[in-house]
Amino acid sequence: MGKNIVKNELPENYEELKKAANRTSNWKARYDAVEELGKYNTSQVIDILNSRLANDPVYKIQEAAYRILLEFGEDVQPPTRKKFEVIKGANKVFVRVKKSLPADHTFEEFATKLKRMRIDVYDAYEGEKGDDFKTWLQNEWSNLK
């Protein structure tokens, strides 16, 4: 893989990338935006990358922001993976969604309603758990009281 050429100017689609980097409902769009912004070493881009490093619920995105900031020569600390809740209060959200459904609801109904009610929570865990997401969510759901 060749080294990216870094430009010291803003990309033409900067506003679009800035929006995508902050889109809470789509971790893939945030990740792609961070990678694309990583080709432009400007103070505005560094601000966005620092924000993703400090605040993104998805570790993969924090990691990408950290790597790019290091390449830019910024003095940054590596992100630490959250051990328990990726999103604070997520378990309460899961309980609230489960209680809003009929007692005999299916896991698919739960997942659909969670996605509809709290796409930010659904998306953050999907990004964090990767291929294990559905299995993990089903396990969480079955353990809810």
Side-chain angles (χ1 to χ4, degrees):
M1 214 167 82
K3 181 93 172 107
N4 281 339
I5 294 171
V6 175
K7 301 179 182 96
N8 288 42
E9 61 196 38
L10 285 174
E12 285 180 29
N13 59 343
Y14 170 72
E15 288 302 323
E16 195 181 305
L17 287 170
K18 181 180 173 182
K19 273 193 196 107
N22 293 308
R23 190 163 292 131
T24 57
S25 64
N26 191 335
W27 75 269
K28 289 180 184 98
R30 288 199 312 279
Y31 180 79
D32 292 345
V34 162
E35 288 292 342
E36 185 60 30
L37 287 166
K39 297 174 186 167
Y40 301 89
N41 187 349
T42 69
S43 60
Q44 294 99 316
V45 167
I46 288 169
D47 287 347
I48 292 172
L49 295 176
N50 273 314
S51 174
R52 289 299 92 215
L53 173 58
N55 305 313
D56 205 287
V58 177
Y59 184 73
K60 182 178 180 178
I61 295 168
Q62 290 180 330
E63 229 175 18
Y66 172 70
R67 176 180 37 79
I68 293 163
L69 287 164
L70 275 185
E71 287 169 10
F72 285 178
E74 294 295 303
D75 180 18
V76 286
Q77 296 304 307
T80 51
R81 190 182 282 275
K82 291 184 181 84
K83 286 181 176 65
F84 303 108
E85 287 189 317
V86 170
I87 301 262
K88 198 163 175 48
N91 203 49
K92 289 181 180 135
V93 170
F94 298 154
V95 168
R96 201 162 44 245
V97 171
K98 186 166 185 167
K99 285 183 174 173
S100 74
L101 290 162
D104 61 350
H105 70 273
T106 64
F107 167 69
E108 284 70 26
E109 289 169 322
F110 171 79
T112 301
K113 184 137 191 197
L114 173 63
K115 196 171 186 177
R116 204 170 58 238
M117 281 174 68
R118 289 295 302 272
I119 185 69
D120 59 325
V121 172
Y122 184 95
D123 186 77
Y125 279 96
E126 183 183 50
E128 191 61 29
K129 302 293 180 186
D131 294 341
D132 300 329
F133 172 66
K134 285 278 193 249
T135 307
W136 173 84
L137 187 61
Q138 189 154 12
N139 189 45
E140 290 293 303
W141 169 75
S142 64
N143 289 325
L144 290 173
K145 301 289 177 256

